[in-house]
Amino acid sequence: MSRELPWVVSVDDHVVEPPDVWTSRLPAKDRERGPRVVRATCRTEYVTANTVKYHFGGDGPETDWWVYEDLRKPVPQVVACVGFPRESLTMEPISYADMRPGCYDPAARLADMDLNHTEMSLCFPTFPRFCGQTFLEAQDRDLALACVRAYNDWMVEEWCGGSGGRLLPLCLIPLWDPQLAADEVRRNAARGCRAVAFTELPANLGLPSIHDPARYWDPFFAACDETGTVVCMHIGSSSRMPVTSPDAPEGVRMALTFANAQYSFVDWLMSGALARFPKLKIAYSEGQIGWMPFVLERVDNIFRHSRAWAGLDPSITELPSTYAAGRVFGCFFEDDFGIASRAAVGLDRITFETDYPHQDSTWPRTREILERIAAEVGPDELYGIARGNALAMLGMEDPAR
């Protein structure tokens, strides 16, 4: 006997920013210095299995390039590849004219969500990178701050503004200043933004870690705690993906994409941040979930047996796993082991994604995946996995109930 499948609330999709995001929103004096799109030829050089270089003006086909300060960056096809056969995907650049319009146009995105049994979607950026590293690396910090604010204005007002609440805003922060970050969190929370992108491993970006003894990030964490803004950390948001060796095939790197989320999860559970900010919530986007139970067990055993010399923050007075309940969320697209281990993962912390328009996207077959999950779980569990936990994470009521 079949049953109705809940419509998905996806907590990890992506938007390829339209070419005019910054040229239409920055002050006139900055528009020729801010991010903009130009046409030029491109030669794609495969340095290793894991490294590709794009040569602006090189001997190759013409494409669209993002230009900002010294940066010249096309959009790789695998980043905007929905609608293409999987066997044809490459790291070659793709022009806007060749992308599926749902990559960058909100009306087309909503239509593609309808085709994919998806009601709501939270989208990470493309040109700024997963947590805005592009602006962290910029030379002109004043311009970079203006770019972060312009992106957030576009995200709230234009990408999400006409969607009837189906596209959910995910904003950026100026990573180089925690007080400015806190200000930006509060500015966007006041207009309905419930999530902000952050890096899984700040030290990899040359920033203080979340263990910093001066508690560098506390102003930012306090703003998120105060406003109910979820700290969303996408795999790769530390600009370094785990790999075993320089000559390992790309498949090794792809198999290990969860590892940085695992490291970050341990960081957060043993940093004291979740203890100091009791309403703070974090999410691991595209990190999958099957590895989470062992980490919870391991950190608790360290607390039981080794806390006298483990150097843990004194604010951690309970088992570290207790700080994760209802506050740390995992995100998956295909993780059969994680679903089989759902009780150990924590039924209230499992969320689902479609990863549109990336190479791992479940579009347009998300309904098929839900049907497979439905064969393994009860109806209440399926509701939580598909949408209920995501809405609870974001502090939202379910419009369908």
Side-chain angles (χ1 to χ4, degrees):
M1 180 178 178
S2 64
R3 69 188 197 227
E4 184 178 352
L5 296 175
W7 278 67
V8 165
V9 176
S10 174
V11 298
D12 174 29
D13 295 312
H14 303 264
V15 58
V16 180
E17 296 80 17
D20 67 344
V21 168
W22 288 277
T23 55
S24 67
R25 290 184 175 272
L26 285 174
K29 66 182 179 63
D30 292 329
R31 289 175 186 171
E32 288 304 311
R33 300 192 305 127
R36 58 206 181 277
V37 171
V38 303
R39 294 283 293 179
T41 58
C42 175
R43 179 172 67 86
T44 304
E45 176 188 0
Y46 290 85
V47 180
T48 70
N50 302 318
T51 308
V52 176
K53 288 185 178 180
Y54 300 104
H55 296 272
F56 183 82
D59 183 15
E62 191 174 68
T63 192
D64 293 319
W65 287 82
W66 279 99
V67 175
Y68 174 52
E69 293 189 338
D70 295 332
L71 181 63
R72 304 289 183 270
K73 181 181 179 183
V75 178
Q77 186 207 28
V78 293
V79 170
C81 60
V82 287
F84 289 90
R86 286 182 181 263
E87 60 273 14
S88 71
L89 303 184
T90 73
M91 291 294 293
E92 300 289 329
I94 185 171
S95 297
Y96 281 86
D98 296 323
M99 296 177 197
R100 191 173 180 89
C103 294
Y104 55 84
D105 177 80
R109 175 63 66 92
L110 293 175
D112 277 356
M113 289 164 59
D114 290 341
L115 292 173
N116 198 38
H117 202 73
T118 304
E119 182 178 353
M120 300 180 195
S121 170
L122 194 72
C123 292
F124 283 85
T126 297
F127 170 75
R129 312 212 313 265
F130 292 139
C131 66
Q133 301 102 299
T134 296
F135 300 123
L136 171 67
E137 296 165 0
Q139 301 164 33
D140 186 333
R141 286 285 169 82
D142 290 336
L143 177 59
L145 179 59
C147 288
V148 167
R149 289 172 173 164
Y151 177 89
N152 291 339
D153 291 345
W154 167 81
M155 168 60 63
V156 172
E157 299 166 6
E158 193 167 335
W159 179 250
C160 300
S163 71
R166 295 186 62 190
L167 294 172
L168 307 173
L170 174 67
C171 286
L172 299 177
I173 59 169
L175 289 162
W176 57 92
D177 188 316
Q179 187 55 59
L180 288 176
D183 295 343
E184 194 62 12
V185 166
R186 292 187 176 96
R187 183 176 82 95
N188 292 303
R191 49 185 182 171
C193 181
R194 302 172 184 271
V196 63
F198 189 57
T199 174
E200 61 208 347
L201 298 169
N204 279 3
L205 300 180
L207 297 167
S209 80
I210 64 169
H211 304 289
D212 179 61
R215 296 184 174 174
Y216 176 87
W217 293 106
D218 275 15
F220 166 61
F221 295 160
C224 293
D225 179 87
E226 167 196 320
T227 61
T229 299
V230 183
V231 178
C232 296
M233 294 171 282
H234 196 283
I235 57 167
S237 57
S238 61
S239 298
R240 191 184 305 172
M241 297 298 288
V243 70
T244 56
S245 62
D247 58 349
E250 183 67 9
V252 171
R253 184 194 64 79
M254 293 167 69
L256 289 172
T257 53
F258 73 93
N260 281 353
Q262 189 178 50
Y263 298 158
S264 177
F265 189 31
V266 175
D267 256 356
W268 275 84
L269 291 176
M270 306 187 91
S271 70
L274 293 172
R276 296 196 308 276
F277 300 101
K279 293 185 290 183
L280 185 60
K281 293 183 284 188
I282 65 174
Y284 287 104
S285 305
E286 204 172 326
Q288 312 308 325
I289 58 175
W291 51 268
M292 295 179 78
F294 173 73
V295 170
L296 292 166
E297 177 185 328
R298 178 63 179 154
V299 296
D300 280 357
N301 282 335
I302 289 171
F303 182 84
R304 289 188 184 102
H305 306 308
S306 307
R307 67 179 180 270
W309 55 275
L312 301 183
D313 190 287
S315 61
I316 302 174
T317 58
E318 307 292 336
L319 291 173
S321 66
T322 62
Y323 299 105
R327 299 174 59 200
V328 180
F329 296 84
C331 171
F332 80 103
F333 50 79
E334 287 183 283
D335 187 343
D336 292 344
F337 179 78
I339 294 300
S341 308
R342 59 192 179 277
V345 173
L347 288 169
D348 65 343
R349 64 173 67 109
I350 300 174
T351 62
F352 185 77
E353 65 167 282
T354 76
D355 200 28
Y356 183 108
H358 283 188
Q359 72 273 15
D360 284 323
S361 179
T362 61
W363 187 92
R365 56 190 180 88
T366 292
R367 185 180 178 88
E368 299 171 19
I369 293 172
L370 282 186
E371 288 171 345
R372 192 172 77 227
I373 296 172
E376 303 296 327
V377 307
D380 290 342
E381 292 175 324
L382 182 65
Y383 170 80
I385 291 168
R387 64 185 288 123
N389 294 339
L391 293 170
M393 177 183 87
L394 296 166
M396 298 176 61
E397 299 291 331
D398 190 340
R401 287 193 164 186

